């Protein structure tokens, strides 16, 4: 039986090639994901090793509320005297004090570089060691920065920004733009930089002036002599530190913590990618099962002969499963090799979406190889199990007495099971549609309901194929005559086969459609929320989420064409134990930049000591217009909380322009972060809005940190992340669609082989080669459209019922169907059908008429 299985694999190479491709692509996704996970983990560990090289103890300044890094700034307790004291400790061989911060560059053409990823825009000092070099930043060209007017860049940053040695570089740290001369280009292994960030280096004194103060440092790295006890050395270093403001950690502890973070960072990403790999394999199951079902139907006489000469049912099953195992093993091996290419391409793909993954060589672990081969073989064998059972049930006399395949068995049980699963899934999803928050239990319930609905649709697909294919066939018959009618009859001949072929495409389009509808709806809701109630023409803010200098508002107001510049500041406010952000502004200018709907009271009553509250906050705190309350101001300003008597003069509907409470700018500004503004809303004079952003930026020193955005730009910024995510999901789900296309090709090719005699008869009675090609092509299009209609319909339903779970986080969410994109999906289904039919249709048209008629 083993020899028989080997012979069958070799004898049906052409008929199995598409199945092998499906297995190969599915396994490629699995192997690529496993190798990618190992590669990224290794790259993180390598980057950590470089950063911790020769570090026995790391002393770091603690962060306290301040202006930098989202409201926190490092303490200045690490000074030169402490560095000298640490250097004198026994066992210490070297000490590396360093300064770090953040700097956003402008490209050579003037546009900001990486303005939306400020956490990756690194700045540090070039630390010169005993050999006159910085081991962490080796020079590639030029020299190290040595004066206040000089800086160095890493190779990638210099290339992206378009700078060369000798150029003047413009950048900003927290305020106005600065310029310095580029004197050196270095190489760095910092993963934040290699994954798309930037790096600027200054001499130590200049860096201290920019980010700390003279003689102060952010970090002190201590190297120890071989054999030194790191724990004991760490305790000696801690004894030198002040009671507050700094921490000392051993190199071993840092390595362990970074290893833990690496595992967390890679685990979630790998799991997400494996989900898409599972989808690809699930789609492949339909192709494998379909292929073996058709092969067994075509080999009925052969199997009957085997049974007649003494083969048992168990041996027949084993023969089919061995054949599937051999196919799965060969395809899995090829898939593993292809997966290496996928693993190499995933990192740049994800980094383009802002993942921030470090560079590193591919890591091919034995577990990835064994896991990929095991998954591929198991999936193939399991998919072939049911067809093998069907083969074993063939009675020798029954098979030998008939040339044609027997008619498909009844589907009452299948239809009943499909109706039950679909009904249960629809009921669960309709219940989910009544929920209004995305709690974990609700998400799990939605996933369960989606699975039931999709599974039920797959089981019911043979029943659904009859009316849908009949309708599609009516169109093909009307426009293509006999070829269209034959295509309809061929698609209806075996509903199980048609359904299995279409289901592979249906699964991919269900997921793609669901993501498209949900993503489009979220996109529209976020776009509406971004500018809802905003009547200003521009918003000026800091791209690094730092506060704006109050003087900037006066500079903006003096720009020709600006009718008004309204600054906004925010602080924390607690009333009766209920916390909310309060937006401070000039009440007289509120109406010019925002359209706020007051349900009681009015904006005209706002002023010192008088506030308005949103409906949501009013409900939580039990407030009404006219109430007099004690409010406590407290946020990241570093100042102690202060109680103030406040009068509620109005209640307004939720508005994204302002926070949950609105008050007078004079009351809020002293407790705003760093005493600065969050943003400035700009209203242009009539007819002067176009191009005003360039004049505003110029008036503010053209700092790369400043974002001057129009309403359209604000909307694009809010929707940009959704578009990137959808593009990435399309790419990942595209593998499932490719596998589905292979399934259509495989089914048509095998169907042509199965109908060889019939095609010969059609040629004999007058149907020419063009008609044969058209018949096979239309059959492919009908099957593809059937899968597309089921997939698009199911995807829209799941997106509609699951959309309510976003209501709590996005109140403006409503399901919006992107009809043009769904029409594009249908058009793509037609194109898929046409492309998938090229080879089978050509093969059918080339059949020799007499040989086809005489075939058995």
């Amino acid at each position: 039986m083993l020899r028989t299985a080997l012979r069958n694999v070799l004898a049906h190479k052409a008929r199995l090639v598409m199945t092998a491709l499906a297995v190969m692509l599915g396994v490629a996704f699995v192997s690529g994901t496993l190798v990618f996970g190992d590669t990224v983990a290794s790259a993180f560990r390598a980057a950590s090793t470089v950063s911790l090289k020769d570090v026995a103890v790391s002393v770091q300044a603690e962060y306290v509320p301040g202006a930098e890094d989202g409201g926190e700034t490092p303490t200045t307790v690490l000074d030169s005297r402490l560095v000298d004291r640490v250097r004198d400790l026994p066992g210490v061989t070297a000490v590396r004090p360093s300064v770090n911060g953040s700097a956003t560059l402008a490209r050579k053409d003037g546009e900001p570089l990486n303005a939306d990823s400020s956490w990756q825009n690194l700045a540090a000092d070039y630390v010169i060691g005993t050999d006159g070099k910085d081991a962490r930043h080796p020079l590639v060209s030029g020299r190290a920065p040595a004066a206040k007017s000089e800086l160095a860049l890493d190779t990638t940053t210099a290339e992206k920004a378009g700078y060369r040695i000798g150029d003047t570089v413009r950048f900003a740290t927290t305020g106005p733009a600065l310029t310095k001369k580029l004197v050196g280009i270095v190489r760095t292994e910092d993963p934040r930089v290699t994954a798309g960030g930037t790096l600027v280096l200054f001499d130590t004194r200049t860096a201290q002036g920019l980010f700390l103060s003279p003689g102060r440092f952010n970090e002190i790295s201590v190297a120890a002599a071989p054999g030194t006890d790191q724990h004991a050395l760490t305790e000696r270093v801690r004894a030198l530190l002040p009671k507050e403001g700094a921490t000392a950690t051993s190199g071993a502890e840092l390595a362990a913590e970074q290893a833990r973070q690496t595992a967390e960072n890679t685990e979630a990403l790998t799991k997400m990618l494996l989900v898409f790999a599972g989808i690809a394999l699930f789609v492949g199951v339909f192709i494998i099962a379909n292929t073996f079902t058709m092969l067994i139907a075509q080999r009925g006489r052969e199997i009957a002969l085997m049974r007649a000469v003494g083969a048992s049912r168990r041996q027949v099953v084993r023969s089919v499963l061995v054949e599937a195992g051999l196919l799965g093993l060969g395809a899995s091996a090829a898939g593993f090799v292809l997966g290496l290419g996928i693993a190499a391409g995933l990192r740049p793909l994800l980094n383009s979406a802002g993942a921030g993954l470090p560079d590193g060589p591919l890591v091919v672990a034995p577990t990835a190889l064994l896991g990929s081969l095991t998954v591929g073989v198991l999936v193939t064998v399991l998919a072939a199990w049911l067809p093998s059972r069907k083969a074993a049930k063939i009675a020798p006399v029954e098979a030998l007495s008939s040339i044609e395949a027997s008619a498909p068995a009844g589907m009452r049980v299948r239809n009943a099971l499909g109706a039950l699963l679909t009904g249960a899934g629809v009921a669960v999803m309709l219940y989910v549609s009544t929920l209004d928050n995305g709690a974990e239990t609700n998400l799990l319930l939605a996933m369960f309901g989606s699975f039931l609905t999709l599974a039920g649709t797959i089981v019911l697909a043979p029943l659904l194929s009859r009316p849908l294919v009949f309708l599609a066939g009516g169109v093909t018959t009307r426009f293509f005559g006999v070829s269209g009618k034959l295509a309809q009859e061929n698609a209806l001949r075996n509903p199980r086969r048609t359904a299995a072929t279409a289901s592979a495409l249906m699964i991919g389009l269900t997921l793609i459609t669901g993501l498209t509808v949900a993503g489009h709806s979220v996109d529209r809701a976020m776009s509406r929320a971004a500018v809802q109630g905003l009547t200003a023409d521009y918003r000026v803010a800091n791209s690094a989420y730092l506060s704006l200098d109050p003087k900037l508002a006066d500079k903006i107001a003096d720009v020709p064409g600006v009718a008004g510049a309204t600054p906004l500041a925010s602080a924390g406010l607690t009333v009766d134990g209920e916390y909310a952000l309060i937006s401070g502004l000039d009440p007289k200018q509120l109406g010019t930049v925002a359209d706020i709907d007051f349900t009681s009271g009015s904006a005209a009553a706002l002023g010192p000591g008088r506030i308005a509250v949103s409906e949501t906050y009013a409900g939580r705190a039990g407030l009404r217009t006219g109430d007099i309350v004690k409010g406590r101001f407290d946020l990241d300003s570093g100042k102690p909380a202060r109680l103030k008597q406040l009068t509620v003069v109005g209640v307004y509907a939720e508005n994204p322009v302002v926070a949950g409470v609105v008050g007078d700018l004079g009351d809020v500004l002293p407790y705003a972060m760093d005493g600065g503004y969050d943003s400035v809303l700009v209203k242009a004079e009539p007819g002067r809005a176009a191009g005003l952003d360039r004049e505003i930026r110029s008036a503010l020193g053209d700092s790369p940190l400043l974002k001057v955005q129009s309403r359209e730009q604000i909307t694009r910024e809010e929707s940009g992340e959704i578009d990137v995510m959808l593009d990435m999901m399309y790419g990942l789900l595209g593998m499932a669609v490719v596998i589905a296309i292979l399934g259509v090709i495989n089914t048509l090719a095998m169907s042509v082989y199965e109908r060889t005699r019939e095609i010969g008869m059609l040629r004999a009675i007058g149907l020419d080669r063009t008609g044969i090609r058209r018949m096979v092509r239309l059959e492919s299009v009908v099957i593809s459209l059937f899968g597309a209609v089921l997939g698009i319909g199911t995807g829209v339903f799941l997106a509609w019922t699951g959309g309510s779970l976003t209501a709590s986080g996005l109140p403006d969410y409503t399901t919006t169907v992107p009809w043009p994109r769904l029409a594009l999906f249908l058009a793509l289904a037609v194109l898929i059908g046409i492309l998938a039919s090229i080879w089978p249709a050509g093969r059918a048209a080339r059949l020799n008429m007499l040989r086809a008629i005489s075939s058995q």
Side-chain angles (χ1 to χ4, degrees), residues 103-142:
T104 300
L105 291 169
R107 293 189 181 94
K108 196 169 183 178
D109 61 9
E111 292 298 316
L113 176 65
N114 252 26
D116 295 328
S117 303
S118 58
W119 64 276
Q120 289 181 281
N121 296 340
L122 309 182
D125 61 334
Y126 187 93
V127 182
I128 300 177
T130 54
D131 59 354
K133 302 177 181 179
D134 187 340
R136 294 190 183 180
H137 305 117
L139 278 167
V140 175
S141 61

Side-chain angles (χ1 to χ4, degrees), residues 201-547:
L201 296 175
F202 310 94
D203 68 279
T204 299
R205 183 173 297 179
T206 301
Q208 289 172 333
L210 287 171
F211 306 115
L212 292 169
S213 56
R216 308 289 173 167
F217 303 95
N218 295 97
E219 182 180 4
I220 302 173
S221 299
V222 182
T228 302
D229 186 334
Q230 285 192 6
H231 179 72
L233 181 59
T234 302
E235 291 301 321
R236 290 196 293 271
V237 172
R238 283 176 181 158
L240 300 178
L241 300 181
K243 293 182 179 180
E244 296 181 351
T247 58
T249 310
S250 69
E253 291 174 328
L254 282 177
E257 175 61 22
Q258 290 192 3
R260 183 187 65 80
Q261 291 181 353
T262 297
E264 291 180 355
N265 291 338
T266 57
E267 182 181 10
L269 181 59
T270 302
K271 285 182 177 179
M272 182 196 75
L273 293 173
L274 282 174
V275 169
F276 288 94
I279 293 170
L281 284 172
F282 184 58
V283 171
V285 165
F286 289 90
I287 300 175
I288 299 167
N290 212 17
T291 299
F292 278 94
T293 298
M294 295 178 72
L295 281 174
I296 287 164
Q298 294 170 13
R299 282 162 32 197
R301 292 174 62 89
E302 176 188 325
I303 294 172
L305 284 170
M306 291 169 56
R307 295 279 284 114
V309 298
S312 66
R313 291 188 174 185
R314 183 173 298 177
Q315 286 176 313
V316 172
V317 170
R318 196 177 323 161
S319 174
V320 176
L321 293 183
V322 168
E323 183 179 345
L326 292 173
L327 174 69
L329 183 61
S332 299
F336 180 80
V337 176
L338 179 61
L340 299 181
I342 293 176
L346 275 174
R347 179 167 44 210
L349 172 67
L350 294 174
N351 278 343
S352 67
L357 303 175
D359 290 331
L362 283 179
V363 177
V364 183
T367 53
L369 174 60
L370 293 175
S372 301
L373 295 179
T374 302
V375 167
V377 172
L378 282 178
V379 167
T380 309
V381 170
L382 289 174
W385 183 72
L386 283 177
S388 71
R389 299 271 297 177
K390 182 179 179 181
K393 294 178 181 179
I394 295 176
V397 175
E398 176 187 352
L400 289 171
S401 64
S402 176
I403 295 175
E404 302 295 336
S406 59
M411 296 185 292
R412 291 183 179 178
V413 175
R414 175 170 181 156
N415 292 341
L417 177 61
L420 181 63
L421 289 173
T422 306
V426 169
V428 171
M429 292 309 296
L430 289 176
Y431 171 71
V432 167
S433 68
T434 64
L435 306 175
D436 59 358
N437 68 81
E440 184 177 356
T441 53
N442 293 342
L443 289 175
L444 291 175
L445 185 62
M447 292 174 62
F448 177 67
S450 299
F451 174 78
L452 287 179
T453 304
L454 185 57
T457 305
I458 293 171
V459 175
L460 277 179
L463 178 65
L464 297 173
S465 68
R466 292 189 177 276
L468 293 177
V469 170
F470 184 81
L471 289 174
V475 176
T476 60
T477 301
R478 180 177 180 83
F479 289 98
F480 299 99
V482 174
S483 296
K485 181 62 175 179
L486 290 172
Q488 179 194 49
E489 294 297 330
N490 291 334
L492 289 172
R493 179 178 302 181
N494 192 329
R496 292 175 186 268
R497 182 189 304 165
T498 298
T501 306
S503 292
L505 183 60
M506 184 201 76
I507 295 168
L509 282 178
T510 294
L511 297 173
I512 290 175
T513 301
L515 284 173
T516 299
V517 174
H520 182 73
S521 301
V522 170
D523 188 0
R524 294 290 297 272
M526 292 179 66
S527 298
R528 289 193 299 268
V531 295
Q532 184 181 13
L534 180 66
T535 57
D537 296 297
Y538 291 96
R539 183 179 68 186
V540 181
N542 190 297
S543 63
Y545 304 102
L546 307 177
S547 62

Side-chain angles (χ1 to χ4, degrees), residues 83-110:
V83 171
D84 294 335
R85 293 173 65 189
V86 171
R87 186 178 287 114
D88 293 337
L89 288 174
V92 174
T93 58
V95 176
R96 176 194 167 95
S98 58
V99 181
N100 53 67
S102 178
T104 300
L105 291 169
R107 293 189 181 94
K108 196 169 183 178
D109 61 9

